[in-house]
């Protein structure tokens, strides 16, 4: 691959060298011509005598006046030469500026990538600090659920189940949830109870994605790749909870980032998912290249594999 790229670049470099060589030849030829004319003019008396031609300054003065147009031509050519030199210097300056800008871009990308993966590691660590315990009403309705505080991935699963329980309660009561209603339900039943861990975690995710989205040097494709890395860290439960979180005012414009990076692509389907589809555009749930179906929701409110909070 490297050899192929090398051979592709060789003709371009040779072409530039050839054109510059031709320009240099013309400049040298013009300089020699001007020099020859100047030398002939200075030593004209000796030249005339060498060829036995009478030399009279008066007649030559009259003859020289006829070369006024030629002098003007030489002046014009000199002016063109100056303009050509300025253009070449300007082209060289622009070329140097492009090289400097490209070098700055490469350095910035390297620094950004290092900082991004550090933030990604902090996100993983912070996820383990998330805590959640289901409400008494949920535990009464789901007797197989363990009445203990969950942590990490299990905390997000418990939070998702809590949210699903209250969405179903609203549906059974015949109350349709608009965007504000779904946001308020999440804030009251899930977020407020464990804001110290859930809020801190989603703020960190927000800051990471916002930094990616606002970077002036990254291309859209590079931003998509960084966003995919963040999305790939999320479980289906976590993605659904992120969608609910982003609908609230305290999440600032997190909804914009959820849509931009399609964080709900792998959100777990079911009652919560159906509500989210009413408040997010379809592309939020779709991939850019491939569309792997989201994980189906299962009514298994049994905590057989949960980890006890130490």
């Amino acid at each position: 691959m490297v050899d192929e790229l090398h051979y592709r670049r060789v003709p371009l470099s040779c072409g530039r060298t050839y054109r510059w060589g031709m320009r240099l030849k013309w400049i040298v030829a013009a300089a020699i011509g001007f020099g020859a004319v100047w030398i002939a003019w200075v030593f004209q008396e000796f030249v005339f005598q060498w060829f036995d031609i009478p030399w009279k300054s008066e007649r030559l003065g009259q003859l020289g006046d006829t070369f006024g147009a030629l002098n003007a031509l030489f002046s014009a050519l000199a002016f063109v030469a100056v303009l050509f030199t300025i253009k070449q210097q300007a082209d060289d300056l622009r070329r140097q500026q492009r090289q400097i800008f490209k070098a700055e871009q490469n350095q910035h990308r390297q620094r950004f990538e290092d900082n991004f993966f550090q933030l990604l590691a902090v996100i993983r660590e912070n996820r383990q600090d998330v805590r959640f315990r289901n409400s008494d009403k949920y535990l009464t309705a789901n007797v197989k659920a363990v009445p203990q505080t969950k942590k990490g991935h299990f905390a997000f699963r418990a939070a998702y189940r809590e949210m699903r329980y209250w969405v179903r309660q609203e549906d059974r009561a015949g109350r349709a949830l608009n965007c504000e209603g779904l946001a308020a339900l999440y804030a009251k039943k899930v977020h407020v109870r464990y804001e110290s861990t859930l809020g801190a975690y989603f703020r960190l995710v927000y800051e990471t994605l916002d930094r990616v989205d606002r970077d002036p040097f990254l291309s859209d494709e590079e931003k998509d790749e960084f966003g995919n890395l963040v999305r790939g860290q999320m479980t289906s439960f976590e993605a659904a909870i992120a969608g609910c979180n982003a609908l609230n005012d305290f999440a600032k414009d997190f909804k914009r980032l959820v849509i931009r990076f399609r964080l709900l692509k792998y959100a777990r389907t079911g009652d919560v998912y159906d509500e989210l589809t009413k408040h997010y555009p379809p592309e939020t749930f779709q991939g850019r290249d491939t569309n792997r179906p989201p994980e189906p929701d299962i009514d298994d409110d049994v905590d057989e594999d949960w980890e006890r909070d130490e």
Side-chain angles (χ1 to χ4, degrees):
M1 185 64 180
V2 174
D3 293 339
E4 182 180 353
L5 292 175
H6 173 72
Y7 289 125
R8 288 180 182 175
R9 292 173 181 169
V10 168
L12 180 60
S13 176
C14 290
R16 291 177 179 172
T17 304
Y18 174 77
R19 289 194 297 269
W20 175 248
M22 292 298 296
R23 292 174 182 174
L24 184 60
K25 289 180 181 179
W26 279 106
I27 293 173
V28 172
I32 293 174
F34 292 151
V37 172
W38 182 82
I39 291 173
W41 179 261
V42 172
F43 298 98
Q44 58 181 313
E45 180 179 356
F46 302 101
V47 173
F48 274 72
Q49 291 176 359
W50 178 269
F51 290 100
D52 293 329
I53 300 174
W55 185 83
K56 294 182 180 181
S57 60
E58 296 80 5
R59 293 185 59 186
L60 292 178
Q62 296 174 359
L63 181 62
D65 293 338
T66 62
F67 288 91
L70 185 61
N71 293 333
L73 177 61
F74 286 163
S75 298
L77 291 176
F79 181 70
V80 171
V82 171
L83 291 180
F84 177 77
T85 303
I86 294 174
K87 180 181 181 302
Q88 288 298 113
Q89 292 177 348
D91 291 342
D92 292 341
L93 180 59
R94 282 194 294 269
R95 192 178 301 110
Q96 291 176 1
Q97 289 176 340
R98 285 195 297 267
Q99 292 175 351
I100 293 173
F101 181 73
K102 187 175 181 180
E104 290 177 348
Q105 278 187 316
N106 293 334
Q107 293 176 359
H108 174 80
R109 286 192 182 96
Q110 185 60 48
R111 291 194 302 268
F112 183 90
E113 185 174 332
D114 294 341
N115 293 334
F116 173 82
F117 283 107
Q118 290 178 3
L119 286 172
L120 205 60
V122 174
I123 288 176
R124 287 194 294 266
E125 294 174 2
N126 197 267
R127 181 187 291 114
Q128 297 304 314
D129 294 331
V130 175
R131 300 288 186 270
F132 193 84
R133 185 184 189 278
N134 291 110
S135 64
D136 293 338
K137 289 187 177 181
Y138 172 89
L139 294 173
T140 300
N142 300 276
V143 294
K144 293 184 179 181
V146 177
Q148 295 288 341
T149 300
K150 315 298 193 310
K151 64 178 181 179
H153 291 297
F154 299 99
F156 282 105
R157 184 175 68 176
Y160 169 82
R161 290 174 174 176
E162 184 79 26
M163 187 66 189
R164 181 182 62 185
Y165 169 77
W166 290 107
V167 167
R168 289 177 175 177
Q169 290 298 105
E170 294 294 309
D171 182 65
R172 293 190 183 101
R175 292 188 291 269
L177 289 171
N178 56 18
C179 185
E180 291 75 14
L182 184 63
L185 188 66
Y186 165 80
K188 181 179 180 180
K189 303 299 183 180
V190 177
H191 187 83
V192 171
R193 297 176 55 229
Y194 287 90
E195 194 278 337
S196 61
T197 59
L198 281 173
Y201 175 76
F202 283 121
R203 281 192 293 272
L204 184 59
V205 173
Y206 169 85
E207 292 296 335
T208 302
L209 291 176
D210 186 61
R211 182 174 299 185
V212 172
D213 190 46
R214 296 183 185 277
D215 190 274
F217 291 98
L218 297 178
S219 65
D220 289 339
E221 291 76 13
E222 290 172 327
K223 292 179 180 180
D224 292 341
E225 291 177 1
F226 283 118
N228 291 343
L229 290 174
V230 176
R231 185 180 65 192
Q233 301 290 315
M234 294 183 172
T235 64
S236 59
F237 302 108
E238 188 176 340
I241 292 299
C244 296
N245 178 280
L247 297 176
N248 285 273
D249 292 336
F250 55 72
K252 298 195 291 187
D253 58 340
F254 189 26
K255 183 178 180 180
R256 168 182 63 85
L257 299 174
V258 171
I259 297 172
R260 166 68 179 83
F261 294 105
R262 308 188 179 201
L263 296 187
L264 302 184
K265 176 182 178 181
Y266 301 131
R268 182 167 291 257
T269 59
D271 299 279
V272 178
Y273 184 95
D274 293 340
E275 290 296 328
L276 291 174
T277 58
K278 301 175 184 178
H279 313 302
Y280 285 94
E283 61 267 20
T284 314
F285 305 86
Q286 301 170 358
R288 292 180 175 84
D289 301 320
T290 58
N291 277 322
R292 191 185 77 183
E295 295 185 27
D297 198 10
I298 302 175
D299 288 331
D300 59 342
D301 295 280
V302 182
D303 297 321
E304 296 179 350
D305 57 346
W306 69 285
E307 292 183 357
R308 184 179 299 276
D309 186 17
E310 299 177 354

